[in-house]
Amino acid sequence: WMLPGMEWSYKSGQWGWICIPKISIAQWHPFTLTSCPEEKHLAMDIKLSGNWTKELASLALSGTKPRISFDGCYGADTQMVGRYRVSVLIGCGIGITPFVSVIKHFVNT
């Protein structure tokens, strides 16, 4: 979800807050970016785990493209992984999302 001409400066594994007023004007939810800086879009993996995310899935499946407010990008521990000769990334379930971005970054550089 990138607008033409829009540029972002972010690092692998960072996160941001999103708000979708069509669901709730007052609720902001944090999600990790799974895109890497070399990609031309921002991507987040979102697990269906509550009413808000289920409503988001419903909107997406219906083809609705709601307005999304984004506040970010914020730091992450994974930003320093490139400073070391060997790194071990451990995660499971939705906890792998910071590592998706890191792995994409290594593949693209």
Side-chain angles (χ1 to χ4, degrees):
W1 38 269
M2 190 66 106
L3 297 175
M6 189 181 266
E7 291 187 28
W8 291 88
S9 177
Y10 67 97
K11 296 178 182 172
S12 295
Q14 288 190 303
W15 61 277
W17 295 92
I18 63 171
C19 175
I20 301 176
K22 189 165 183 89
I23 299 173
S24 172
I25 196 164
Q27 290 185 21
W28 288 79
H29 294 263
F31 294 102
T32 303
L33 297 173
T34 54
S35 50
C36 70
E38 294 77 27
E39 294 178 313
K40 301 290 184 205
H41 65 278
L42 291 178
M44 297 176 168
D45 288 3
I46 299 174
K47 179 182 178 180
L48 297 178
S49 64
N51 293 336
W52 191 89
T53 54
K54 288 176 184 169
E55 183 65 26
L56 176 58
S58 243
L59 286 173
L61 291 172
S62 74
T64 302
K65 294 183 180 179
R67 185 180 65 124
I68 298 172
S69 297
F70 179 77
D71 179 23
C73 300
Y74 295 102
D77 295 332
T78 56
Q79 291 174 14
M80 294 178 20
V81 75
R83 294 183 183 179
Y84 304 99
R85 194 172 65 86
V86 175
S87 295
V88 177
L89 307 174
I90 300 172
C92 64
I94 198 68
I96 68 163
T97 54
F99 308 132
V100 171
S101 179
V102 170
I103 292 167
K104 285 181 180 179
H105 174 67
F106 284 135
V107 167
N108 288 306
T109 57

